Amino acid sequence: MLVVWKVAARQWGLEKKPLISKPTTSHPLQGVKDRTLKHAGSPHDKRSRPVVQPIMVDPLSSVLDGPDPLSDLLGAPDPLSGKNFLSTSRQGVEDIQGAEMTISDSRYNTWEQYRAFILSNFTTTGTLTFTSSFLQPSDSAESRAVPSQRRVVKTQTAVTERHRAQGMSGSERIRARLEQMDTLDEISGGVVREVGGLTQEEFTHRLFGLKQELNEAWQSDQRIKALKIGIQCVKLLSLSAPEHFYPSKFILVMEILDTLAFLVYQRLKQKYQDDSPSVSGGSTGKQEAQETARNWFYKVASIRELLPRLYLEAALLPCYSVIDMQEGELALSRISRMIRGIGDPLMAAYARMYLCRMGIEVAPTLTQYISESIEDFLHALKQGLWPEGEADMNMGEDKDALAARLFSPPLEWMMQCLATRAPHHVLQSILRQCESGEGLGQNLLVGAVLTMFPHHFIALQALPLTHLIAGCSYPGKKQHELLSVLGSCVNQVAPPQQQQLPLLNAVWKLITRIPETKDYLSTAGVWLEFTAKNFTSVEVNTLLGDVLKHVGTEGSHEQVHYPALLALVSTALTNSTDSHALFSMNNFLGLLNVFQRDSVSAGDGVTRGVVEALLAHHPGDFTDPTLVQHLLTLCGALHDSINALTTDDERRQLSQLIISFIRQVNFGRDFEQHLDFYVNSRAAFSNLDPVLVSLVQCVCRLAMATWSVMHGQHSGKTAAFVRACAAYCFITIPSLTSSAARLRLYLLSGAVALLNNCLGQGDACMKAAIREVVEVDGSQDTETAGQVAEILRLSVANLASTLIATPDPPDASPPLYLLRGLTNAVRSNTWQKDTDIQVLLSISLLHALSAASQDNLPYHIHSVEGNDSLYGGDIQVQQEAEQLCTTLLQDILSHIQGLTGIHEKRCGPLALGLFWCIVTWCDLRQPQMMNVASLMWSLVLKHNRREVVVHTSECISRRSQQLKDGSLAQLVKHCQV
């Protein structure tokens, strides 16, 4: 039976009831706050306190569900704390004394950072020699010829504490231990073996084996054997060759010494905690701990060789906290003077480095021994560093460069220890030593002062330090490196204002004489930051002019260091006090011209970096046409660098970068120049669809800006301009590959054209949008994959609602020409099977056609007459709308009746949508429409949730009371829940 759709007249004045505000007792973000508090609480709170989740979950707050990874990291233990056994041992001694002995300054490097730096930078490819009496017989070359059944390995007999204590006085026990020290060579076989030809990895593995053996000896109560292992490891430092590996060997050996020190500290701690009172009234634990500590120092003092004796006593310096801290301070000065007996400057330097490391733990406030160590270090460097006649060292380094690299870590560590503790006058004395120094010592000392001394001290002494750098002629650390470090310091803390200009003049005289362009640009970048922060744009322009001169002296463009020039651009933009003035400088724009040369490859990231720097640091919009042209050229180079091998992610990033540039261009009221820029941009970025989409949106915004300026009343000039904008959009949109994007932009452009009274252009865009509806369904775009139904539903609903206020073309014979075209496009297309997309679109069209048939349309476009004015309430309009709606209704009912079996549950949302459409627009006085409404309500009851049904019933009841409609009231009786 044919059901005819009859449209009821809407009472707009009665229906437009103003909204009534109601008080609320809950915050709309209350659910987000609850979840945040849940994850911020303690683990116990998370388990014991449930949090009520709201029904509607904010999609942006879903990321808060689950544990916060940063909070978990804060609560996790420090992964390095388990490895730093030295810090653990110090903590044991601090528990004994109850004193704080640590220093923390995030600006300085820790010992662990120095350790990692040395191990990664001082390596060797040569062979190494390992000497020890604890090598297994199979490890020595000569033992390989001895049959295994004849090999004999002697082991030390362990003498436990209990056996030593029985029948022996304190002096006898000390004498027995000294006798064991005298027979060290007889222990473990009595043979000192030497293994040569080891690689670095094999050498490190041998040391790791000795470290394990030391732990095993200690656990088996063999203290002397553990001490002997430490002694023989230190003996490995008596051989400095190969020199470029000596720092790494020093670090590896120090790890073994730290292990031995840790074991001693733990033993002292255990004895000290045994505080049972003795017969004399004292503490047995404290006395025994002091006796054990002195015993260890006696053992160390009996070592014959100087180097092991120094290192072992330095490693055990914290034990003086058990005896007397003043003795520890005296020992520091004594050991510092004993190091003068080491003839090799390299060995002595690293011995002083280790002493300072231990000294800051024992006596944090004592600095005299550090000053003496630095003075002795400089005095040792005045002697010959290498054997007579020795040529360049390994690894392709000459002697001077290798010497500077080897001696820098110990000196910088000592200077760091001094800088964090010494008063100002001590730092001044070090600076005077720099002035009186010479050769490599002066070079390294100046570099260490710049690196380690406080920034405020460097700022006050910046000018004298510049003169020192100019006088450092020894080929150690290069002059440009020292200038860069000085520049970094004054960038952190500026010198007094009266010194800034003399300092800049003195430094730039040195920078201009740097021979290598790479070194020159890196140093100039550091001092450009100082200039931009403390001077005007005139000085910045002068410096950039000197940079351009150096760049211009290059023989070919390929030799120019574009990353360094990019750093200059970014530095000037970031630190300049007047960024606007930069873009009026001829030298700054000349620097940008360098990146527009053909030799600059956009694929190497340099051009992209320039664009990112300009966009990130430019204040406000781009208004200068010259700068806009520069950026357009640079972005065009990025666009031209895209090829078949460019990844989708890279395309997306470049598109977003170019879009950011386009949206920052603003020529104010000069709309024609702005449109010309968009035309040039379309030609430059034709291969990037996201950029073209943005250009269409920007042109629509430009047209609306014109409409706003003219208050909707265009003149002849502005009318021609907005028509040009509409033509731009209509020409640009077809070049897009995504049909969904074309549909959205046609709809946007058509709406803008209609608002600007460009009816011809608006009609063309709307017709093109109707054609795109079919294209979206058949497209294979990755953008619309899995979202075709949702895109079509929203787009068709938006398009249909726009067509309600769009007047029919003058030559259209039947009324509602555009809506009829959209209806035919929806009905004639072959939609995908097992989907409800056609029914959803048909319901949207039912709403639109019913609204368009009203004598008074629900809304109009400004200054555009709608169909209600054009047709003057002609009955033909309503008849045309009802005819189209009847056809659509039959299609919808046929589809719903065909949903059976497992597909029947899909009837729920479809029946609800059609039911609301009937209630809103239909004349329910006709029995056929009332029967259809009742049928749809039965499906709503069957296939929808109860809260939906209850809400629908309440809404119908309120509408019936508001409109006082009898037929609607009759329907309410059938819609009881």
Side-chain angles (χ1 to χ4, degrees):
M1 181 180 64
L2 180 63
V3 180
V4 179
W5 183 277
K6 290 295 182 180
V7 181
R10 297 289 296 271
Q11 306 176 42
W12 302 118
L14 186 60
E15 293 184 20
K16 290 181 179 179
K17 185 177 180 180
L19 295 177
I20 301 176
S21 60
K22 297 180 180 179
T24 180
T25 58
S26 61
H27 193 277
L29 298 180
Q30 183 66 37
V32 179
K33 181 179 179 182
D34 291 340
R35 287 192 294 276
T36 306
L37 292 176
K38 178 184 71 171
H39 295 300
S42 62
H44 177 72
D45 294 339
K46 293 180 182 180
R47 294 190 298 267
S48 60
R49 274 187 294 175
V51 178
V52 179
Q53 296 287 347
I55 297 177
M56 296 301 295
V57 181
D58 181 9
L60 298 181
S61 64
S62 60
V63 296
L64 298 176
D65 297 333
D68 181 11
L70 299 181
S71 300
D72 293 343
L73 289 178
L74 290 176
D78 183 10
L80 299 179
S81 59
K83 301 179 181 179
N84 192 356
F85 52 82
L86 182 61
S87 299
T88 306
S89 64
R90 297 295 181 274
Q91 188 62 41
V93 179
E94 289 169 5
D95 293 340
I96 297 174
Q97 291 299 111
E100 184 67 32
M101 297 184 180
T102 58
I103 300 171
S104 67
D105 191 334
S106 59
R107 191 169 63 84
Y108 296 106
N109 296 324
T110 63
W111 180 259
E112 287 297 323
Q113 290 171 328
Y114 265 96
R115 174 186 177 276
F117 170 78
I118 290 176
L119 290 178
S120 61
N121 287 274
F122 294 94
T123 58
T124 181
T125 56
T127 58
L128 303 167
T129 301
F130 193 93
T131 303
S132 175
S133 63
F134 288 92
L135 292 173
Q136 295 297 330
S138 59
D139 291 338
S140 58
E142 63 273 16
S143 65
R144 296 190 183 100
V146 182
S148 58
Q149 63 270 18
R150 296 178 55 190
R151 296 175 185 169
V152 178
V153 180
K154 298 181 181 179
T155 59
Q156 176 187 2
T157 303
V159 182
T160 61
E161 290 284 347
R162 183 174 56 83
H163 292 162
R164 285 198 298 267
Q166 292 177 355
M168 296 180 65
S169 63
S171 60
E172 290 175 344
R173 288 199 299 270
I174 294 174
R175 188 181 303 109
R177 290 165 183 166
L178 293 177
E179 289 175 356
Q180 293 178 6
M181 294 292 295
D182 291 335
T183 59
L184 284 178
D185 290 339
E186 298 179 0
I187 300 174
S188 297
V191 178
V192 178
R193 297 179 177 88
E194 179 178 303
V195 177
L198 298 177
T199 63
Q200 177 181 337
E201 182 180 358
E202 293 171 343
F203 183 87
T204 304
H205 182 71
R206 301 273 177 163
L207 283 176
F208 180 75
L210 282 184
K211 181 179 177 181
Q212 288 183 326
E213 191 166 355
L214 186 148
N215 281 305
E216 294 173 359
W218 189 274
Q219 297 301 327
S220 61
D221 231 3
Q222 302 182 49
R223 317 293 187 206
I224 300 301
K225 181 178 179 181
L227 179 60
K228 180 187 176 184
I229 293 175
I231 292 172
Q232 292 195 353
C233 289
V234 175
K235 287 182 179 181
L236 296 174
L237 298 178
S238 60
L239 181 63
S240 60
E243 284 78 4
H244 49 266
F245 182 68
Y246 188 84
S248 294
K249 183 165 61 173
F250 163 79
I251 290 295
L252 296 173
V253 171
M254 290 309 103
E255 290 184 2
I256 298 178
L257 281 187
D258 290 340
T259 303
L260 179 61
F262 170 72
L263 297 173
V264 175
Y265 298 145
Q266 289 297 318
R267 188 175 180 219
L268 291 176
K269 182 178 179 180
Q270 293 173 2
K271 289 180 178 294
Y272 193 89
Q273 289 175 349
D274 184 12
D275 55 353
S276 58
S278 62
V279 179
S280 59
S283 176
T284 304
K286 183 176 181 180
Q287 292 177 357
E288 189 172 356
Q290 290 178 346
E291 180 184 355
T292 304
R294 293 187 184 277
N295 185 21
W296 274 101
F297 285 115
Y298 292 153
K299 291 177 182 178
V300 172
S302 65
I303 300 175
R304 297 185 180 91
E305 298 186 24
L306 175 63
L307 201 63
R309 188 164 70 249
L310 288 175
Y311 273 104
L312 283 167
E313 185 173 3
L316 298 178
L317 277 175
C319 293
Y320 280 109
S321 60
V322 179
I323 304 172
D324 188 0
M325 286 302 301
Q326 292 183 352
E327 292 188 28
E329 295 178 359
L330 294 175
L332 273 175
S333 301
R334 174 172 50 81
I335 298 174
S336 176
R337 292 189 294 271
M338 289 171 61
I339 295 178
R340 299 171 183 173
I342 302 177
D344 192 315
L346 186 61
M347 298 179 189
Y350 282 88
R352 293 186 176 96
M353 181 181 185
Y354 186 70
L355 177 66
C356 291
R357 179 213 172 183
M358 305 305 299
I360 60 175
E361 300 288 343
V362 176
T365 60
L366 192 63
T367 59
Q368 181 62 31
Y369 74 98
I370 303 178
S371 301
E372 294 177 356
S373 297
I374 294 174
E375 186 176 353
D376 294 340
F377 174 86
L378 298 176
H379 182 73
L381 289 185
K382 296 179 181 179
Q383 305 172 7
L385 300 179
W386 315 113
E388 290 294 334
E390 186 173 354
D392 291 348
M393 309 307 296
N394 295 333
M395 301 173 63
E397 290 182 288
D398 58 22
K399 293 185 293 184
D400 297 328
L402 180 60
R405 205 162 66 90
L406 290 175
F407 285 99
S408 290
L411 179 59
E412 289 179 356
W413 177 262
M414 290 187 287
M415 295 290 283
Q416 173 178 313
C417 296
L418 185 67
T420 54
R421 293 161 181 82
H424 186 80
H425 67 88
V426 176
L427 303 183
Q428 287 283 3
S429 65
I430 297 296
L431 191 60
R432 288 192 293 271
Q433 291 185 29
C434 294
E435 297 173 354
S436 60
E438 59 183 15
L440 178 62
Q442 183 191 31
N443 186 291
L444 296 181
L445 189 60
V446 172
V449 167
L450 295 174
T451 306
M452 296 301 169
F453 275 23
H455 289 154
H456 63 84
F457 180 84
I458 300 298
L460 293 174
Q461 306 295 331
L463 198 56
L465 285 170
T466 304
H467 299 320
L468 283 175
I469 294 173
C472 288
S473 58
Y474 190 86
K477 286 197 171 184
K478 296 182 180 180
Q479 191 178 79
H480 73 87
E481 296 176 352
L482 299 177
L483 290 173
S484 297
V485 178
L486 177 61
S488 300
C489 293
V490 296
N491 286 334
Q492 296 293 327
V493 178
Q497 188 172 3
Q498 64 273 14
Q499 297 182 14
Q500 291 178 1
L501 185 57
L503 174 63
L504 181 60
N505 291 331
V507 168
W508 203 259
K509 290 179 181 178
L510 300 177
I511 295 177
T512 54
R513 293 199 295 264
I514 298 176
E516 295 292 334
T517 304
K518 178 181 179 181
D519 301 334
Y520 166 81
L521 290 177
S522 62
T523 311
V526 176
W527 284 94
L528 180 62
E529 178 181 349
F530 172 75
T531 307
K533 286 181 177 179
N534 301 282
F535 295 92
T536 64
S537 58
V538 177
E539 287 79 7
V540 174
N541 192 37
T542 303
L543 264 63
L544 292 177
D546 187 72
V547 171
L548 288 176
K549 290 180 182 178
H550 277 74
V551 173
T553 57
E554 292 288 339
S556 61
H557 294 166
E558 288 75 14
Q559 297 175 359
V560 180
H561 302 275
Y562 291 105
L565 293 177
L566 168 61
L568 291 177
V569 174
S570 179
T571 299
L573 290 170
T574 306
N575 300 282
S576 180
T577 56
D578 186 7
S579 300
H580 284 286
L582 283 176
F583 298 98
S584 61
M585 298 179 186
N586 55 343
N587 290 330
F588 183 78
L589 297 179
L591 191 60
L592 294 182
N593 281 329
V594 175
F595 297 99
Q596 299 181 20
R597 297 174 180 172
D598 296 336
S599 59
V600 180
S601 173
D604 59 5
V606 176
T607 305
R608 178 177 175 178
V610 174
V611 177
E612 289 176 345
L614 291 173
L615 296 181
H617 303 295
H618 185 273
D621 296 329
F622 293 101
T623 58
D624 184 13
T626 305
L627 180 60
V628 170
Q629 187 59 40
H630 282 299
L631 278 170
L632 185 61
T633 304
L634 294 173
C635 291
L638 292 177
H639 171 270
D640 295 340
S641 67
I642 298 176
N643 51 41
L645 300 179
T646 305
T647 62
D648 293 339
D649 184 65
E650 189 174 356
R651 282 175 174 268
R652 180 186 57 81
Q653 294 178 13
L654 291 178
S655 299
Q656 291 299 323
L657 185 64
I658 296 173
I659 290 172
S660 299
F661 157 62
I662 291 174
R663 290 178 176 175
Q664 280 188 250
V665 174
N666 186 4
F667 294 113
R669 290 292 186 92
D670 194 349
F671 294 155
E672 292 183 355
Q673 185 179 10
H674 214 152
L675 183 59
D676 290 339
F677 166 74
Y678 290 144
V679 172
N680 295 332
S681 299
R682 180 178 60 185
F685 313 123
S686 57
N687 292 330
L688 293 175
D689 278 9
V691 179
L692 295 179
V693 170
S694 180
L695 285 172
V696 173
Q697 294 171 346
C698 289
V699 171
C700 291
R701 184 179 62 182
L702 189 63
M704 291 308 301
T706 307
W707 182 89
S708 178
V709 170
M710 300 301 297
H711 302 289
Q713 303 296 326
H714 286 292
S715 63
K717 184 177 181 180
T718 57
F721 177 78
V722 293
R723 285 196 295 270
C725 292
Y728 178 99
C729 297
F730 191 76
I731 294 172
T732 306
I733 294 174
S735 61
L736 300 175
T737 57
S738 173
S739 56
R742 293 197 300 268
L743 173 58
R744 288 192 290 262
L745 291 179
Y746 273 131
L747 182 56
L748 173 65
S749 303
V752 171
L754 291 174
L755 185 59
N756 283 277
N757 212 3
C758 301
L759 301 182
Q761 290 80 1
D763 289 340
C765 290
M766 292 304 173
K767 292 177 182 177
I770 293 172
R771 290 193 296 269
E772 291 296 336
V773 170
V774 181
E775 296 294 333
V776 172
D777 179 65
S779 66
Q780 302 295 329
D781 300 338
T782 56
E783 176 189 353
T784 60
Q787 304 177 2
V788 174
E790 185 66 16
I791 292 174
L792 278 173
R793 187 181 67 82
L794 296 176
S795 299
V796 170
N798 193 0
L799 176 59
S801 62
T802 305
L803 294 179
I804 293 174
T806 303
D808 287 340
D811 55 347
S813 55
L816 304 181
Y817 175 78
L818 295 176
L819 278 172
R820 173 182 286 274
L822 180 58
T823 303
N824 293 335
V826 170
R827 295 190 68 247
S828 61
N829 184 41
T830 303
W831 301 96
Q832 298 179 5
K833 296 180 179 180
D834 299 331
T835 62
D836 303 323
I837 180 62
Q838 185 175 8
V839 175
L840 294 173
L841 300 184
S842 298
I843 292 175
S844 298
L845 289 173
L846 283 178
H847 285 281
L849 289 168
S850 301
S853 66
Q854 300 293 317
D855 291 339
N856 295 315
L857 296 179
Y859 47 83
H860 296 80
I861 300 175
H862 178 73
S863 71
V864 176
E865 293 184 350
N867 286 330
D868 53 349
S869 300
L870 293 178
Y871 292 104
D874 189 352
I875 192 63
Q876 188 179 1
V877 177
Q878 184 174 0
Q879 293 176 353
E880 184 71 18
E882 290 178 348
Q883 179 183 356
L884 294 174
C885 289
T886 301
T887 305
L888 290 172
L889 180 62
Q890 296 299 326
D891 294 340
I892 295 172
L893 294 177
S894 299
H895 182 85
I896 293 177
Q897 292 172 359
L899 296 176
T900 57
I902 61 175
H903 301 293
E904 187 177 0
K905 60 183 179 180
R906 289 159 48 189
C907 294
L910 302 180
L912 181 61
L914 181 58
F915 178 77
W916 270 114
C917 187
I918 294 173
V919 169
T920 305
W921 297 105
C922 280
D923 185 1
L924 294 177
R925 291 176 297 181
Q926 296 188 12
Q928 292 180 346
M929 295 308 303
M930 181 65 73
N931 293 336
V932 174
S934 301
L935 176 62
M936 292 300 104
W937 178 251
S938 63
L939 294 176
V940 170
L941 286 173
K942 184 177 181 181
H943 298 291
N944 286 279
R945 299 192 308 272
R946 177 174 177 78
E947 55 267 23
V948 175
V949 175
V950 173
H951 177 71
T952 305
S953 177
E954 293 175 352
C955 291
I956 297 175
S957 178
R958 287 195 300 268
R959 182 178 178 85
S960 173
Q961 296 175 4
Q962 179 185 8
L963 300 179
K964 298 180 181 180
D965 188 347
S967 58
L968 193 58
Q970 183 181 358
L971 180 63
V972 171
K973 296 180 181 179
H974 294 284
C975 297
Q976 299 297 327
V977 180

